[in-house]
Coordinates of all heavy atoms in Angstrom, one line a residue:
W8 N 6.9 27.0 -19.3 CA 7.9 28.0 -19.6 C 9.2 27.3 -20.1 O 9.7 27.7 -21.0 CB 8.2 28.8 -18.3 CG 9.2 29.8 -18.6 CD1 8.9 31.1 -19.1 CD2 10.6 29.8 -18.4 NE1 10.1 31.8 -19.2 CE2 11.1 31.0 -18.8 CE3 11.5 28.8 -18.0 CZ2 12.5 31.3 -18.8 CZ3 12.8 29.0 -18.0 CH2 13.3 30.3 -18.3
K9 N 9.6 26.2 -19.4 CA 10.8 25.6 -19.7 C 10.9 25.1 -21.1 O 11.9 25.4 -21.8 CB 11.1 24.4 -18.7 CG 12.5 23.9 -18.8 CD 12.7 22.8 -17.7 CE 14.1 22.5 -17.6 NZ 14.4 21.6 -16.5
I10 N 9.9 24.4 -21.6 CA 9.9 23.8 -22.9 C 10.0 24.9 -24.0 O 10.7 24.8 -24.9 CB 8.7 22.9 -23.1 CG1 8.9 21.6 -22.3 CG2 8.6 22.5 -24.6 CD1 8.3 20.4 -22.7
S11 N 9.2 25.9 -23.9 CA 9.2 26.9 -24.9 C 10.5 27.8 -25.0 O 10.8 28.4 -25.9 CB 8.0 27.8 -24.8 OG 8.0 28.5 -23.6
H12 N 11.2 27.7 -23.9 CA 12.5 28.5 -23.8 C 13.7 27.7 -23.9 O 14.8 28.3 -23.9 CB 12.5 29.4 -22.6 CG 11.5 30.5 -22.6 ND1 10.1 30.3 -22.6 CD2 11.6 31.8 -22.8 CE1 9.5 31.4 -22.7 NE2 10.4 32.4 -22.8
D13 N 13.6 26.4 -23.8 CA 14.8 25.5 -23.8 C 14.6 24.4 -24.8 O 13.9 23.5 -24.5 CB 15.1 25.0 -22.4 CG 16.3 24.2 -22.3 OD1 17.0 23.9 -23.3 OD2 16.7 23.7 -21.2
L14 N 15.2 24.5 -25.9 CA 15.0 23.6 -27.0 C 15.4 22.2 -26.7 O 15.0 21.2 -27.3 CB 15.6 24.1 -28.3 CG 15.1 25.4 -28.9 CD1 15.9 25.8 -30.1 CD2 13.6 25.2 -29.2
T15 N 16.3 22.0 -25.7 CA 16.8 20.7 -25.3 C 15.8 19.9 -24.5 O 16.0 18.8 -24.2 CB 18.1 20.8 -24.6 OG1 17.9 21.5 -23.3 CG2 19.2 21.5 -25.4
Q16 N 14.7 20.6 -24.1 CA 13.7 19.9 -23.2 C 12.5 19.3 -24.0 O 11.6 18.8 -23.4 CB 13.2 20.9 -22.2 CG 14.3 21.4 -21.2 CD 14.9 20.3 -20.4 OE1 14.2 19.4 -19.9 NE2 16.2 20.3 -20.4
Y17 N 12.5 19.4 -25.3 CA 11.4 18.9 -26.1 C 11.5 17.3 -26.0 O 12.6 16.8 -26.0 CB 11.5 19.3 -27.5 CG 10.8 20.6 -27.7 CD1 11.4 21.8 -27.4 CD2 9.5 20.6 -28.2 CE1 10.7 23.0 -27.6 CE2 8.8 21.8 -28.3 CZ 9.4 23.0 -28.0 OH 8.7 24.2 -28.2
P18 N 10.4 16.7 -25.9 CA 10.4 15.2 -25.8 C 10.9 14.6 -27.1 O 10.6 15.2 -28.2 CB 9.0 14.8 -25.5 CG 8.2 16.0 -26.0 CD 9.0 17.2 -25.8
V19 N 11.5 13.4 -27.1 CA 11.8 12.7 -28.2 C 10.7 11.6 -28.5 O 10.4 10.8 -27.6 CB 13.2 12.0 -28.1 CG1 13.5 11.1 -29.2 CG2 14.3 13.0 -27.8
M20 N 10.2 11.7 -29.7 CA 9.1 10.7 -30.0 C 9.7 9.7 -31.0 O 10.2 10.1 -32.1 CB 7.9 11.4 -30.7 CG 7.3 12.5 -29.8 SD 6.7 11.8 -28.3 CE 6.0 13.2 -27.5
P21 N 9.7 8.4 -30.7 CA 10.3 7.5 -31.6 C 9.4 7.3 -32.9 O 8.2 7.4 -32.8 CB 10.3 6.2 -30.8 CG 9.2 6.4 -29.8 CD 9.1 7.8 -29.5
W22 N 10.0 7.0 -34.0 CA 9.3 6.7 -35.2 C 8.9 5.2 -35.1 O 9.7 4.3 -35.1 CB 10.2 6.9 -36.4 CG 10.5 8.3 -36.8 CD1 9.8 9.4 -36.4 CD2 11.6 8.7 -37.5 NE1 10.4 10.5 -36.9 CE2 11.5 10.1 -37.6 CE3 12.6 8.1 -38.2 CZ2 12.4 10.9 -38.3 CZ3 13.6 8.9 -38.9 CH2 13.4 10.3 -38.9
I23 N 7.5 5.0 -35.0 CA 7.1 3.7 -34.9 C 6.3 3.2 -36.1 O 6.1 2.0 -36.3 CB 6.2 3.5 -33.6 CG1 5.0 4.4 -33.7 CG2 7.0 3.7 -32.4 CD1 3.9 4.1 -32.6
I24 N 5.9 4.1 -37.0 CA 5.1 3.7 -38.2 C 6.2 3.3 -39.3 O 7.1 4.0 -39.5 CB 4.2 4.9 -38.7 CG1 3.3 5.3 -37.6 CG2 3.5 4.5 -40.0 CD1 2.3 4.3 -37.1
A25 N 5.9 2.2 -39.9 CA 6.8 1.7 -40.9 C 6.5 2.2 -42.3 O 7.4 2.5 -43.1 CB 6.9 0.2 -40.9
G26 N 5.2 2.3 -42.6 CA 4.8 2.7 -44.0 C 4.1 4.0 -44.0 O 3.1 4.2 -43.2
Y27 N 4.4 4.8 -45.0 CA 3.8 6.1 -45.1 C 3.1 6.3 -46.4 O 2.6 7.4 -46.7 CB 4.8 7.3 -44.8 CG 5.3 7.3 -43.4 CD1 6.5 6.6 -43.1 CD2 4.6 8.0 -42.4 CE1 6.9 6.6 -41.8 CE2 5.1 8.0 -41.1 CZ 6.2 7.3 -40.8 OH 6.7 7.4 -39.6
S28 N 3.1 5.3 -47.3 CA 2.6 5.5 -48.6 C 1.1 5.1 -48.7 O 0.4 5.5 -49.7 CB 3.4 4.7 -49.6 OG 3.4 3.3 -49.2
S29 N 0.6 4.3 -47.8 CA -0.8 3.9 -47.9 C -1.8 5.0 -47.5 O -1.5 5.8 -46.6 CB -1.0 2.7 -46.9 OG -2.4 2.4 -46.9
E30 N -2.9 5.1 -48.1 CA -3.9 6.1 -47.8 C -4.6 5.7 -46.5 O -5.1 6.6 -45.8 CB -5.0 6.2 -48.9 CG -4.4 6.9 -50.1 CD -5.5 7.3 -51.1 OE1 -6.6 7.5 -50.6 OE2 -5.2 7.4 -52.2
D31 N -4.7 4.4 -46.1 CA -5.3 4.0 -44.9 C -4.2 3.5 -43.9 O -3.3 2.8 -44.3 CB -6.3 2.8 -45.2 CG -7.4 3.2 -46.1 OD1 -7.9 4.3 -45.9 OD2 -7.7 2.5 -47.0
L32 N -4.4 3.8 -42.7 CA -3.5 3.4 -41.6 C -4.2 2.4 -40.8 O -5.1 2.7 -40.0 CB -3.1 4.6 -40.8 CG -2.0 4.4 -39.7 CD1 -0.7 3.9 -40.3 CD2 -1.8 5.6 -38.9
D33 N -3.8 1.1 -40.9 CA -4.4 0.0 -40.2 C -3.6 -0.3 -39.0 O -2.6 -0.9 -39.0 CB -4.5 -1.3 -41.1 CG -5.2 -2.4 -40.4 OD1 -5.6 -2.3 -39.2 OD2 -5.2 -3.5 -41.0
L34 N -4.0 0.2 -37.8 CA -3.3 0.0 -36.6 C -3.3 -1.4 -36.1 O -2.6 -1.7 -35.1 CB -3.8 1.0 -35.5 CG -3.6 2.5 -35.9 CD1 -4.2 3.4 -34.8 CD2 -2.2 2.9 -36.2
E35 N -4.2 -2.2 -36.6 CA -4.2 -3.6 -36.2 C -3.2 -4.5 -37.0 O -2.9 -5.6 -36.5 CB -5.6 -4.2 -36.4 CG -6.7 -3.4 -35.6 CD -6.6 -3.5 -34.1 OE1 -6.2 -4.6 -33.7 OE2 -6.8 -2.6 -33.4
D36 N -2.7 -4.0 -38.1 CA -1.8 -4.8 -38.9 C -0.4 -4.6 -38.4 O 0.2 -3.5 -38.3 CB -1.8 -4.2 -40.3 CG -1.0 -5.1 -41.3 OD1 -0.3 -6.0 -40.8 OD2 -1.1 -4.8 -42.5
P37 N 0.3 -5.7 -38.0 CA 1.7 -5.6 -37.4 C 2.7 -5.0 -38.4 O 3.7 -4.4 -38.0 CB 2.1 -7.0 -37.1 CG 0.8 -7.8 -37.1 CD -0.2 -7.0 -37.9
R38 N 2.4 -5.1 -39.7 CA 3.3 -4.5 -40.7 C 3.3 -3.0 -40.7 O 4.2 -2.4 -41.3 CB 3.0 -5.1 -42.1 CG 3.2 -6.6 -42.2 CD 2.7 -7.1 -43.6 NE 1.3 -6.8 -43.6 CZ 0.5 -7.0 -44.7 NH1 1.0 -7.4 -45.8 NH2 -0.8 -6.7 -44.7
T39 N 2.3 -2.4 -40.1 CA 2.2 -1.0 -40.0 C 3.4 -0.4 -39.1 O 3.8 0.7 -39.4 CB 0.9 -0.5 -39.3 OG1 -0.2 -1.0 -40.2 CG2 0.8 1.0 -39.2
Y40 N 3.9 -1.2 -38.2 CA 4.9 -0.7 -37.3 C 6.3 -1.2 -37.7 O 6.5 -2.3 -38.1 CB 4.6 -1.2 -35.9 CG 3.2 -0.8 -35.4 CD1 2.1 -1.7 -35.6 CD2 2.9 0.5 -35.0 CE1 0.8 -1.3 -35.2 CE2 1.6 0.9 -34.6 CZ 0.6 0.0 -34.7 OH -0.7 0.4 -34.4
R41 N 7.3 -0.3 -37.4 CA 8.7 -0.7 -37.7 C 9.1 -1.6 -36.6 O 8.6 -1.7 -35.5 CB 9.6 0.5 -37.8 CG 9.9 1.2 -36.5 CD 11.0 2.3 -36.7 NE 11.4 2.9 -35.5 CZ 12.4 2.5 -34.8 NH1 13.1 1.4 -35.1 NH2 12.8 3.1 -33.7
D42 N 10.2 -2.3 -36.9 CA 10.8 -3.3 -36.0 C 11.6 -2.5 -34.9 O 12.7 -2.0 -35.2 CB 11.7 -4.3 -36.7 CG 12.3 -5.3 -35.8 OD1 12.1 -5.3 -34.6 OD2 13.0 -6.2 -36.4
L43 N 11.0 -2.4 -33.7 CA 11.7 -1.6 -32.6 C 12.9 -2.3 -32.0 O 13.5 -1.8 -31.2 CB 10.6 -1.3 -31.6 CG 9.5 -0.4 -32.0 CD1 8.5 -0.2 -30.9 CD2 10.0 1.0 -32.5
T44 N 13.2 -3.6 -32.4 CA 14.4 -4.2 -31.9 C 15.6 -3.8 -32.7 O 16.7 -4.1 -32.3 CB 14.3 -5.8 -32.0 OG1 14.2 -6.1 -33.4 CG2 13.1 -6.3 -31.3
K45 N 15.4 -3.0 -33.8 CA 16.5 -2.6 -34.6 C 16.5 -1.0 -34.6 O 15.5 -0.4 -34.6 CB 16.4 -3.0 -36.1 CG 16.4 -4.5 -36.2 CD 16.2 -4.9 -37.7 CE 16.2 -6.4 -37.9 NZ 16.0 -6.7 -39.3
P46 N 17.7 -0.4 -34.7 CA 17.8 1.0 -34.8 C 17.3 1.5 -36.2 O 17.1 0.6 -37.1 CB 19.3 1.3 -34.7 CG 20.0 0.1 -35.1 CD 19.0 -1.0 -34.7
M47 N 17.0 2.7 -36.4 CA 16.4 3.3 -37.6 C 17.4 2.9 -38.8 O 16.9 2.7 -39.9 CB 16.2 4.8 -37.6 CG 15.0 5.2 -36.8 SD 13.5 4.5 -37.4 CE 13.3 5.3 -38.9
G48 N 18.7 2.9 -38.6 CA 19.6 2.6 -39.6 C 19.7 1.2 -40.1 O 20.4 0.9 -41.0
A49 N 19.0 0.3 -39.4 CA 19.0 -1.1 -39.8 C 17.6 -1.7 -40.1 O 17.4 -2.9 -40.0 CB 19.7 -1.9 -38.6
Q50 N 16.7 -0.8 -40.4 CA 15.3 -1.3 -40.7 C 15.3 -2.2 -41.9 O 14.5 -3.1 -42.0 CB 14.4 -0.1 -40.9 CG 14.1 0.6 -39.6 CD 13.4 -0.4 -38.6 OE1 12.4 -0.9 -38.8 NE2 14.0 -0.5 -37.4
D51 N 16.2 -2.0 -42.9 CA 16.3 -2.9 -44.0 C 17.8 -3.1 -44.3 O 18.6 -2.3 -43.9 CB 15.5 -2.4 -45.3 CG 15.9 -1.1 -45.8 OD1 17.2 -0.9 -46.1 OD2 15.1 -0.2 -46.0
E52 N 18.1 -4.1 -45.1 CA 19.5 -4.4 -45.3 C 20.2 -3.3 -46.1 O 21.4 -3.1 -45.8 CB 19.6 -5.8 -46.0 CG 21.0 -6.3 -46.1 CD 21.8 -6.3 -44.8 OE1 21.1 -6.7 -43.8 OE2 23.0 -6.0 -44.8
E53 N 19.6 -2.7 -47.1 CA 20.2 -1.7 -47.9 C 20.6 -0.5 -47.0 O 21.8 0.0 -47.1 CB 19.3 -1.2 -49.0 CG 19.9 -0.1 -49.8 CD 18.9 0.4 -50.9 OE1 17.9 -0.3 -51.2 OE2 19.1 1.5 -51.4
R54 N 19.8 -0.1 -46.1 CA 20.1 1.0 -45.2 C 21.2 0.6 -44.2 O 22.1 1.4 -43.9 CB 18.8 1.5 -44.5 CG 18.9 2.7 -43.7 CD 17.5 3.2 -43.3 NE 17.6 4.1 -42.2 CZ 17.7 5.4 -42.4 NH1 17.7 5.9 -43.6 NH2 17.7 6.3 -41.4
A55 N 21.1 -0.6 -43.7 CA 22.1 -1.1 -42.8 C 23.5 -1.1 -43.4 O 24.5 -0.7 -42.8 CB 21.8 -2.5 -42.3
E56 N 23.6 -1.5 -44.7 CA 24.8 -1.5 -45.4 C 25.4 -0.1 -45.6 O 26.6 0.2 -45.5 CB 24.7 -2.1 -46.8 CG 25.9 -2.2 -47.5 CD 27.1 -3.0 -46.8 OE1 26.8 -3.9 -46.1 OE2 28.2 -2.7 -47.1
Q57 N 24.5 0.9 -45.8 CA 25.0 2.3 -45.9 C 25.7 2.8 -44.6 O 26.7 3.4 -44.7 CB 23.8 3.2 -46.2 CG 23.2 3.1 -47.6 CD 22.0 3.9 -47.8 OE1 21.4 4.5 -46.9 NE2 21.5 3.9 -49.0
F58 N 25.1 2.4 -43.5 CA 25.7 2.8 -42.2 C 27.0 2.1 -41.9 O 27.9 2.6 -41.3 CB 24.6 2.7 -41.1 CG 23.7 3.9 -41.1 CD1 22.4 3.7 -41.7 CD2 24.0 5.1 -40.6 CE1 21.5 4.7 -41.7 CE2 23.1 6.2 -40.7 CZ 21.9 6.0 -41.2
R59 N 27.0 0.8 -42.3 CA 28.3 0.0 -42.1 C 29.4 0.7 -43.0 O 30.5 0.8 -42.5 CB 28.1 -1.4 -42.5 CG 27.3 -2.2 -41.5 CD 27.4 -3.7 -41.7 NE 26.6 -4.1 -42.9 CZ 25.3 -4.5 -42.8 NH1 24.7 -4.5 -41.7 NH2 24.7 -4.9 -43.9
E60 N 29.1 1.1 -44.2 CA 30.1 1.7 -45.1 C 30.5 3.1 -44.5 O 31.7 3.4 -44.5 CB 29.5 2.0 -46.5 CG 29.4 0.7 -47.3 CD 30.7 0.1 -47.6 OE1 31.7 0.8 -47.9 OE2 30.8 -1.1 -47.5
K61 N 29.6 3.8 -43.9 CA 29.9 5.1 -43.3 C 30.9 4.9 -42.1 O 31.9 5.6 -41.9 CB 28.6 5.8 -42.8 CG 28.8 7.1 -42.2 CD 27.5 7.7 -41.8 CE 27.6 9.2 -41.4 NZ 26.3 9.8 -41.1
Y62 N 30.6 3.8 -41.3 CA 31.5 3.5 -40.2 C 32.9 3.2 -40.7 O 33.9 3.7 -40.1 CB 30.9 2.3 -39.4 CG 31.6 2.0 -38.1 CD1 31.1 2.5 -36.9 CD2 32.7 1.1 -38.1 CE1 31.8 2.2 -35.7 CE2 33.3 0.8 -37.0 CZ 32.9 1.3 -35.8 OH 33.5 1.0 -34.6
K63 N 32.9 2.4 -41.7 CA 34.2 1.9 -42.3 C 35.0 3.2 -42.8 O 36.2 3.3 -42.7 CB 34.0 0.9 -43.4 CG 35.2 0.3 -44.0 CD 34.8 -0.7 -45.0 CE 36.0 -1.3 -45.7 NZ 35.7 -2.2 -46.8
M64 N 34.3 4.1 -43.5 CA 34.9 5.3 -44.1 C 35.5 6.1 -43.0 O 36.6 6.6 -43.1 CB 33.9 6.1 -44.9 CG 34.4 7.3 -45.5 SD 33.1 8.3 -46.2 CE 32.3 9.0 -44.8
Y65 N 34.8 6.3 -41.9 CA 35.3 7.1 -40.7 C 36.5 6.4 -40.2 O 37.5 7.1 -39.9 CB 34.3 7.2 -39.6 CG 33.1 8.2 -39.8 CD1 32.0 8.2 -39.0 CD2 33.2 9.2 -40.8 CE1 31.0 9.1 -39.1 CE2 32.2 10.1 -41.0 CZ 31.1 10.0 -40.1 OH 30.1 10.9 -40.3
E66 N 36.5 5.1 -40.0 CA 37.6 4.4 -39.5 C 38.8 4.5 -40.3 O 39.9 4.8 -39.9 CB 37.2 2.9 -39.3 CG 38.0 2.1 -38.4 CD 37.3 0.8 -38.1 OE1 36.8 0.1 -39.1 OE2 37.4 0.3 -37.0
E67 N 38.7 4.3 -41.6 CA 39.8 4.4 -42.6 C 40.4 5.8 -42.7 O 41.6 5.9 -43.0 CB 39.4 3.9 -44.0 CG 39.1 2.4 -44.0 CD 38.5 1.9 -45.3 OE1 38.1 2.7 -46.1 OE2 38.4 0.7 -45.4
S68 N 39.6 6.8 -42.5 CA 40.1 8.2 -42.6 C 40.8 8.7 -41.3 O 41.2 9.8 -41.3 CB 39.0 9.1 -43.0 OG 38.0 9.3 -42.0
G69 N 40.8 7.9 -40.3 CA 41.4 8.3 -39.0 C 40.4 9.0 -38.1 O 40.8 9.3 -37.0
M70 N 39.2 9.2 -38.5 CA 38.2 9.8 -37.6 C 37.7 8.7 -36.7 O 37.8 7.5 -36.9 CB 37.0 10.3 -38.4 CG 37.4 11.4 -39.4 SD 36.0 11.9 -40.5 CE 34.8 12.4 -39.4
E71 N 37.1 9.2 -35.6 CA 36.5 8.2 -34.6 C 35.3 7.6 -35.3 O 34.4 8.3 -35.8 CB 36.0 9.0 -33.4 CG 35.3 8.0 -32.5 CD 35.6 8.3 -31.0 OE1 36.4 9.2 -30.7 OE2 35.1 7.5 -30.2
P72 N 35.3 6.3 -35.5 CA 34.2 5.6 -36.2 C 32.8 5.7 -35.5 O 32.8 5.7 -34.2 CB 34.6 4.2 -36.3 CG 35.6 4.0 -35.2 CD 36.2 5.3 -35.0
A73 N 31.8 6.0 -36.2 CA 30.4 6.1 -35.7 C 29.4 5.7 -36.8 O 29.7 6.0 -38.0 CB 30.1 7.5 -35.2
H74 N 28.4 5.1 -36.5 CA 27.3 4.7 -37.5 C 26.5 6.0 -37.8 O 26.0 6.1 -38.9 CB 26.5 3.6 -37.0 CG 27.2 2.3 -36.9 ND1 27.7 1.8 -35.8 CD2 27.5 1.4 -37.9 CE1 28.2 0.6 -36.0 NE2 28.1 0.4 -37.3
Y75 N 26.3 6.8 -36.8 CA 25.5 8.0 -37.0 C 26.3 9.2 -36.7 O 27.1 9.3 -35.8 CB 24.3 8.0 -36.1 CG 23.5 6.7 -36.2 CD1 23.6 5.7 -35.3 CD2 22.6 6.6 -37.3 CE1 22.8 4.5 -35.4 CE2 21.8 5.4 -37.4 CZ 21.9 4.4 -36.5 OH 21.2 3.3 -36.6
G76 N 26.2 10.3 -37.5 CA 27.0 11.5 -37.4 C 26.5 12.5 -36.4 O 27.2 13.4 -36.0
T77 N 25.2 12.3 -36.0 CA 24.6 13.3 -35.1 C 23.8 12.5 -34.0 O 23.5 11.4 -34.2 CB 23.6 14.3 -35.8 OG1 22.6 13.5 -36.4 CG2 24.4 15.1 -36.9
H78 N 23.4 13.3 -33.0 CA 22.5 12.7 -32.0 C 21.1 12.6 -32.6 O 20.8 13.3 -33.5 CB 22.5 13.7 -30.8 CG 22.0 13.1 -29.5 ND1 20.7 13.2 -29.2 CD2 22.5 12.3 -28.6 CE1 20.4 12.6 -28.1 NE2 21.5 12.0 -27.7
Y79 N 20.3 11.8 -32.1 CA 18.9 11.6 -32.6 C 18.0 12.8 -32.4 O 17.0 13.0 -33.1 CB 18.2 10.4 -32.1 CG 18.1 10.3 -30.6 CD1 17.1 11.0 -29.9 CD2 19.1 9.7 -29.8 CE1 17.0 11.0 -28.5 CE2 19.0 9.7 -28.4 CZ 17.9 10.3 -27.8 OH 17.8 10.3 -26.4
S80 N 18.4 13.7 -31.5 CA 17.6 14.9 -31.3 C 18.6 16.1 -31.0 O 19.5 15.9 -30.3 CB 16.7 14.7 -30.1 OG 15.9 15.9 -29.9
C81 N 18.3 17.2 -31.6 CA 19.2 18.4 -31.4 C 18.3 19.6 -31.6 O 17.2 19.5 -32.2 CB 20.4 18.4 -32.2 SG 20.1 18.7 -34.0
A82 N 18.8 20.8 -31.2 CA 18.0 22.0 -31.3 C 17.6 22.3 -32.8 O 16.5 22.8 -33.0 CB 18.8 23.2 -30.8
A83 N 18.5 22.0 -33.7 CA 18.1 22.2 -35.1 C 16.9 21.4 -35.5 O 16.0 21.9 -36.3 CB 19.3 21.9 -36.0
Y84 N 16.8 20.2 -35.1 CA 15.6 19.3 -35.4 C 14.4 19.9 -34.8 O 13.3 19.9 -35.4 CB 15.8 17.9 -35.0 CG 17.0 17.2 -35.5 CD1 17.6 16.1 -34.9 CD2 17.6 17.5 -36.8 CE1 18.6 15.4 -35.4 CE2 18.6 16.9 -37.3 CZ 19.2 15.8 -36.6 OH 20.2 15.1 -37.2
V85 N 14.5 20.4 -33.6 CA 13.3 20.9 -32.9 C 12.9 22.2 -33.6 O 11.7 22.4 -33.8 CB 13.7 21.2 -31.4 CG1 12.5 22.0 -30.7 CG2 14.0 19.9 -30.6
L86 N 13.8 23.1 -34.0 CA 13.4 24.3 -34.7 C 12.7 24.0 -36.0 O 11.7 24.6 -36.4 CB 14.7 25.2 -34.9 CG 15.2 25.9 -33.7 CD1 16.5 26.6 -34.0 CD2 14.1 26.9 -33.2
Y87 N 13.3 23.0 -36.7 CA 12.7 22.6 -38.0 C 11.2 22.1 -37.8 O 10.3 22.5 -38.5 CB 13.5 21.5 -38.7 CG 12.9 21.0 -40.0 CD1 12.9 21.9 -41.1 CD2 12.4 19.7 -40.1 CE1 12.3 21.4 -42.3 CE2 11.9 19.3 -41.3 CZ 11.8 20.1 -42.4 OH 11.3 19.7 -43.5
Y88 N 11.0 21.3 -36.7 CA 9.7 20.8 -36.4 C 8.8 22.0 -36.0 O 7.6 22.0 -36.5 CB 9.8 19.8 -35.2 CG 8.5 19.4 -34.6 CD1 7.7 18.5 -35.3 CD2 8.0 20.0 -33.4 CE1 6.4 18.2 -34.8 CE2 6.8 19.6 -32.9 CZ 6.0 18.7 -33.6 OH 4.8 18.4 -33.1
L89 N 9.2 22.9 -35.2 CA 8.4 24.0 -34.8 C 8.0 24.9 -36.0 O 6.9 25.4 -36.1 CB 9.1 24.9 -33.8 CG 9.3 24.2 -32.4 CD1 10.1 25.0 -31.5 CD2 7.9 23.9 -31.8
M90 N 9.0 25.1 -37.0 CA 8.7 25.9 -38.2 C 7.6 25.2 -39.0 O 6.7 25.9 -39.6 CB 9.9 26.1 -39.0 CG 10.9 27.1 -38.3 SD 12.3 27.6 -39.3 CE 12.8 26.1 -40.1
R91 N 7.6 23.9 -39.0 CA 6.6 23.2 -39.8 C 5.3 23.3 -39.2 O 4.2 23.2 -39.9 CB 7.0 21.7 -40.0 CG 8.2 21.5 -40.9 CD 8.7 20.1 -41.0 NE 7.6 19.2 -41.2 CZ 7.7 17.9 -40.9 NH1 8.9 17.4 -40.5 NH2 6.8 17.1 -41.1
L92 N 5.2 23.5 -37.9 CA 3.9 23.6 -37.2 C 3.2 24.9 -37.5 O 2.0 25.0 -37.4 CB 4.1 23.5 -35.7 CG 4.4 22.1 -35.1 CD1 4.6 22.2 -33.6 CD2 3.3 21.1 -35.5
E93 N 4.0 25.9 -37.8 CA 3.5 27.3 -38.0 C 2.6 27.3 -39.3 O 2.7 26.9 -40.3 CB 4.6 28.3 -38.1 CG 5.2 28.6 -36.7 CD 4.2 29.2 -35.8 OE1 3.5 30.2 -36.1 OE2 4.1 28.7 -34.6

């Protein structure tokens, strides 16, 4: 009952797969998995630089600086996921 009526109770599943373009998923290949020692925003240098720039932009505009603008999970994400399941 709780999960279907309270969107904040859905579990958070981490993204662990690194590549989505291959037709075959080799679970024995370490390159299949993302580096879990780094956040999603730092998986490659280009993406990490985008988040550093975002932080700098917030700081310079007088806003509280943050690398990410939202929490990793929120009701909107859960609803989007549920709509895709239908």
Side-chain angles (χ1 to χ4, degrees):
W8 183 87
K9 190 174 195 176
I10 289 205
S11 64
H12 289 71
D13 184 355
L14 296 176
T15 63
Q16 297 300 314
Y17 274 81
V19 174
M20 303 296 180
W22 288 339
I23 61 169
I24 304 297
Y27 293 92
S28 58
S29 173
E30 287 193 28
D31 298 317
L32 184 61
D33 181 3
L34 298 178
E35 301 296 322
D36 185 354
R38 294 175 298 172
T39 299
Y40 304 98
R41 76 173 182 88
D42 183 353
L43 295 175
T44 65
K45 297 178 181 178
M47 286 301 294
Q50 288 298 303
D51 61 51
E52 188 52 39
E53 181 181 340
R54 190 168 163 89
E56 182 58 31
Q57 290 173 352
F58 283 100
R59 284 192 288 270
E60 287 296 319
K61 184 176 186 176
Y62 187 94
K63 185 178 176 184
M64 181 187 71
Y65 282 167
E66 200 170 40
E67 290 172 351
S68 68
M70 295 172 62
E71 176 140 3
H74 289 100
Y75 304 101
T77 62
H78 195 265
Y79 57 83
S80 179
C81 68
Y84 299 157
V85 172
L86 285 174
Y87 179 67
Y88 171 74
L89 292 173
M90 288 187 318
R91 288 177 47 202
L92 287 179
E93 287 296 313

